[in-house]
Amino acid sequence: MVSGKEDINMSTRFCELVGVEYPIIQGAMARISDGFLAGSVSEAGGIGIIAGMNAPTEYLREQIRIAKEITNKPFGVNVMLAAENADEVAELVINEGVKVVTTGAGLPGKYIPKWKEAGVIVIPVVPSVAIAKMMVRSGADAVVAEGTESGGHVGELTTMALVPQVVDAVGDKVPVLAAGGIADGRGICAAYMLGADGVQVGTRFLVAEECHIHQNYKNKVLGAKDIDTIVTGRPTGHPVRILKNKLARNYMELEKSGASLEEFEKLGLGALRRAVEDGDVEMGSVMAGQIAALVNKEQKCKEIIEEMFAEAKQVYESRKALVF
Ligand code: TUI
């Protein structure tokens, strides 16, 4: 206690559930969040997540082992349910003793009993109240309520509208984490005020020093303005938020012309790899959230997490003083 000020503890029931210091998950980012990034986030006191996406099972096993070399703390794997090898990845996480699984883009119900039996903590990422309820009925231990501000595959609702509704629906049963548009301490405080027990952050970790993407991708994020993201591919049923570039303009042209799904697919083929590995940020898919403009420095994962929570404490103190 210093000069009558209570020392604010930002720890929540989510920290107890997972056994972490800070209630922050590094969002799974396809082709981006590997064992090195996830291990670094976990070692810094959050939960790092290796993106399963469509990666071969053997590649994921290697990434899990890399994360284990970096940290003894819990980390997770995201199982992208649309992936062809989802069944194999679901087994892999059990065999490798992975502590946390997050899921995206589908319903993981059929895997949940096995995961729970193996002691895996299951945290589906959900875009709506109905899906959140379904997941909790299936045995989810927590949910991430992800607003449309996020990068990558997005739902319709904003974080501001979605999070309190998911909290009302399932918050008495499981912790709810907020995702979409959170990149600093203000976002953490806002999430807490909406009833969340933590946050999932993706975009800010794109520019982490431990994030091994092409520097052109990082520079594109660092240089982004508020209106620089756009949602592409709505007609395909898989809307994806990316930073505006030539690829995004081509997508918009296709949408206007009422193009076939094949044409969309052709344009999207290999686009993420082009951006992440080749650094082609014009014809590549530069996935990032609406908060990209707030992300303006490259830092270590540890600095990012500690700065965000230190800022959250300051914000809490200073805003509290406004109210009488
Ligand atoms: O999954 C994400 N974000 C993603 S996945 C991804 S990989 C990808 N790349 C290109 C095209 C499509 C996918 C990049 N970013 N976020 C979590 C999320 N889950 N958002 C929406 C959902 C979701 C949607 C429907 C969860 C469950 C659900 O169930 C209903 C159903 O019909 O399956």
Side-chain angles (χ1 to χ4, degrees):
M1 298 269 230
V2 182
S3 64
K5 267 193 203 165
E6 60 203 291
D7 187 23
I8 305 156
N9 183 355
M10 302 296 290
S11 166
T12 68
R13 61 181 168 154
F14 177 75
C15 298
E16 270 171 54
L17 172 71
V18 192
V20 283
E21 194 179 348
Y22 298 103
I24 181 169
I25 297 180
Q26 160 255 310
M29 295 173 283
R31 283 191 174 271
I32 295 174
S33 49
D34 56 12
F36 190 68
L37 179 64
S40 303
V41 169
S42 287
E43 185 57 19
I47 290 277
I49 304 285
I50 297 167
M53 217 226 159
N54 288 310
T57 311
E58 271 319 303
Y59 168 84
L60 290 175
R61 193 190 307 278
E62 273 169 41
Q63 296 309 313
I64 290 169
R65 298 205 170 152
I66 288 170
K68 283 178 185 168
E69 274 170 31
I70 295 174
T71 188
N72 291 321
K73 298 181 186 176
F75 64 89
V77 170
N78 178 266
V79 180
M80 229 278 277
L81 296 156
E84 271 174 24
N85 61 343
D87 286 354
E88 265 179 47
V89 179
E91 282 292 324
L92 174 72
V93 295
I94 293 174
N95 296 337
E96 289 292 323
V98 170
K99 178 99 187 261
V100 175
V101 161
T102 64
T103 65
L107 304 172
K110 69 168 176 169
Y111 303 119
I112 292 183
K114 262 197 177 173
W115 283 336
K116 306 245 339 186
E117 211 176 289
V120 179
I121 295 167
V122 184
I123 312 179
V125 178
V126 303
S128 72
V129 167
I131 294 175
K133 282 182 171 168
M134 207 186 301
M135 301 291 194
V136 172
R137 272 201 303 272
S138 310
D141 297 292
V143 295
V144 175
E146 186 182 73
T148 194
E149 295 93 321
S150 302
H153 179 44
V154 290
E156 287 292 337
L157 295 174
T158 61
T159 303
M160 182 79 120
L162 177 65
V163 172
Q165 295 187 63
V166 171
V167 167
D168 281 353
V170 301
D172 59 335
K173 298 182 188 73
V174 299
V176 175
L177 285 87
I182 301 170
D184 66 8
R186 291 171 295 183
I188 294 175
C189 278
Y192 280 25
M193 294 301 137
L194 295 175
D197 288 293
V199 295
Q200 177 181 275
V201 170
T203 302
R204 185 150 175 191
F205 286 112
L206 283 171
V207 301
E209 286 176 19
E210 298 93 332
C211 182
H212 288 156
I213 58 176
H214 199 285
Q215 189 62 37
N216 293 353
Y217 197 129
K218 292 190 179 188
N219 290 345
K220 184 105 178 142
V221 173
L222 292 165
K225 299 191 304 294
D226 54 352
I227 57 167
D228 282 351
T229 74
I230 190 163
V231 175
T232 60
R234 286 197 194 275
T236 68
H238 296 288
V240 172
R241 183 179 301 285
I242 63 175
L243 284 171
K244 289 178 184 169
N245 59 6
K246 185 153 178 16
L247 176 76
R249 288 193 294 279
N250 289 354
Y251 266 121
M252 291 303 125
E253 284 304 316
L254 280 189
E255 285 187 28
K256 264 191 255 159
S257 69
S260 66
L261 290 185
E262 287 73 38
E263 286 174 89
F264 275 100
E265 228 167 70
K266 214 165 100 194
L267 190 58
L269 210 65
L272 186 57
R273 187 193 52 72
R274 276 201 295 280
V276 171
E277 287 168 31
D278 307 345
D280 179 356
V281 292
E282 272 309 307
M283 279 311 288
S285 174
V286 188
M287 293 188 190
Q290 285 186 331
I291 206 71
L294 224 65
V295 174
N296 48 33
K297 54 183 188 283
E298 296 176 66
Q299 290 169 298
K300 292 205 163 19
C301 293
K302 189 170 159 51
E303 291 167 344
I304 292 175
I305 294 174
E306 287 176 358
E307 187 175 292
M308 284 182 73
F309 281 92
E311 194 180 22
K313 288 184 189 185
Q314 282 170 11
V315 169
Y316 177 78
E317 272 303 330
S318 64
R319 301 305 288 178
K320 194 172 71 172
L322 276 185
V323 184
F324 49 85

